Amino acid sequence: MAAPELQDDFYCSLVDWSSQNIVSVGLERCVYLWSACSGKVTRLLDLSEDGNSVTSVAFNKQGNLLAVGSTYGGVQVWDTVVNRQLKMMQGHAGRVGTLAWNGNILSSGSQDTFILQHDMRMPSLVAERRLVGHQEEVCGLKWSPDNKYLASGGGDNCLFVWDLHSLSPLQKYTRHLSAVKAVAWSPHHHGILASGGGVDDQCLHFWNTLTGELVKCINTGSQITNLAWSKFSSPLVSTHGFPDNHICVWNYPSLRQLTKLTGHSFRVLHLAVSPNG
């Protein structure tokens, strides 16, 4: 699938893969859907009329709803089965670079440093909760497998852990030396959270959020842009930018590098895992 207008922006999340085997891609002002089964490509939306741009996309667990963040701070929610917009939510004063679903709850992280949480069951277009903690742009959001905790990474080099009900972070990790976009919870080891730092850090950290302790740290030698655990076994995938622009597969907990995939000439900014893992 060609994506000629994919933005080269570390702080955006422009690719996601649904449980219904549909890939969504944000290309400048448009969002396209590609069916991995049929190969059919559909243009879902176009923000050209108001000069807006797509900055993030994220499917819900069922794969029928797609959230789309934009430069002007709005978040649209679309039904991708019938290609119809369901909601348009405001509240952010900067671009929305990261989105994360937790059932009916949609979390959005923005350049305005805030995390907003919307309940799709509520008629209000204003966020139900506003999480304040980061000092710079929020660029990474992931809910834990049990849907109880939200991890957030930011341009302030900080990693926070929030619970479903508190407005203050439960934990704050400050070991990274660069922006934290890459965040992933282990589906196999309860409470284990992985995070990766940007170009001035390049380190992969593993945290035990049950105790608040750093479990392991490894210097990868390159900017870390994304992390994803295997659904069915222990390996973890990391994607990278400067200087190597490669993809690595790590065994956990030994952190032995299983393979290193090369071939990209620019940084690997976006990563999505297929529904079958």
Side-chain angles (χ1 to χ4, degrees):
M1 180 181 179
E5 296 175 334
L6 196 62
Q7 292 184 55
D8 182 21
D9 192 321
F10 177 82
Y11 291 94
C12 295
S13 300
L14 296 171
V15 177
D16 200 17
W17 203 331
S18 81
S19 58
Q20 298 187 16
N21 216 12
I22 303 294
V23 177
S24 64
V25 183
L27 299 180
E28 287 199 344
R29 306 190 190 284
C30 299
V31 172
Y32 293 89
L33 304 178
W34 173 73
S35 170
C37 298
S38 67
K40 180 183 178 182
V41 176
T42 305
R43 188 173 70 176
L44 180 68
L45 64 92
D46 188 339
L47 303 178
S48 297
E49 284 190 9
D50 56 6
N52 208 347
S53 296
V54 178
T55 51
S56 54
V57 293
F59 280 106
N60 67 342
K61 185 177 181 179
Q62 291 76 21
N64 63 315
L65 300 181
L66 180 70
V68 180
S70 64
T71 302
Y72 294 163
V75 177
Q76 300 183 20
V77 177
W78 285 71
D79 183 327
T80 59
V81 178
V82 296
N83 291 0
R84 179 170 63 93
Q85 182 181 317
L86 301 179
K87 284 195 174 187
M88 173 65 186
M89 296 170 293
Q90 303 290 347
H92 284 297
R95 66 178 174 187
V96 178
T98 181
L99 297 157
W101 289 89
N102 179 359
N104 292 302
I105 305 298
L106 175 62
S107 303
S108 56
S110 170
Q111 197 172 33
D112 63 12
T113 75
F114 303 124
I115 300 167
L116 299 184
Q117 302 203 143
H118 296 268
D119 190 329
M120 294 297 103
R121 297 164 294 188
M122 303 298 290
S124 172
L125 301 182
V126 180
E128 280 69 40
R129 299 172 71 237
R130 185 190 201 200
L131 306 183
V132 181
H134 286 284
Q135 300 299 309
E136 294 187 32
E137 181 166 6
V138 181
C139 52
L141 285 178
K142 287 289 172 62
W143 281 97
S144 60
D146 60 8
N147 294 326
K148 292 181 179 179
Y149 302 101
L150 177 69
S152 66
D156 53 5
N157 311 342
C158 293
L159 175 70
F160 288 101
V161 175
W162 317 74
D163 73 11
L164 193 55
H165 306 291
S166 174
L167 295 178
S168 301
L170 301 179
Q171 295 169 341
K172 178 180 181 180
Y173 301 109
T174 58
R175 290 283 295 266
H176 285 291
L177 303 176
S178 192
V180 183
K181 177 194 178 188
V183 181
W185 293 89
S186 170
H188 314 294
H189 307 274
H190 182 58
I192 295 298
L193 174 64
S195 62
V199 69
D200 294 326
D201 180 86
Q202 306 180 356
C203 288
L204 179 56
H205 288 77
F206 294 86
W207 311 92
N208 183 338
T209 61
L210 304 179
T211 63
E213 297 177 346
L214 176 66
V215 179
K216 288 195 176 184
C217 173
I218 184 169
N219 191 321
T220 68
S222 292
Q223 175 190 48
I224 303 173
T225 54
N226 294 281
L227 292 170
W229 292 84
S230 166
K231 292 183 179 181
F232 307 114
S233 55
S234 60
L236 173 81
V237 174
S238 61
T239 63
H240 300 268
F242 180 82
D244 291 337
N245 308 318
H246 61 286
I247 300 169
C248 286
V249 180
W250 309 87
N251 188 46
Y252 185 84
S254 70
L255 287 188
R256 180 173 60 90
Q257 189 179 112
L258 300 178
T259 188
K260 181 177 181 179
L261 307 173
T262 60
H264 285 289
S265 53
F266 293 95
R267 54 186 178 173
V268 186
L269 281 180
H270 309 292
L271 172 71
V273 180
S274 65
N276 65 5

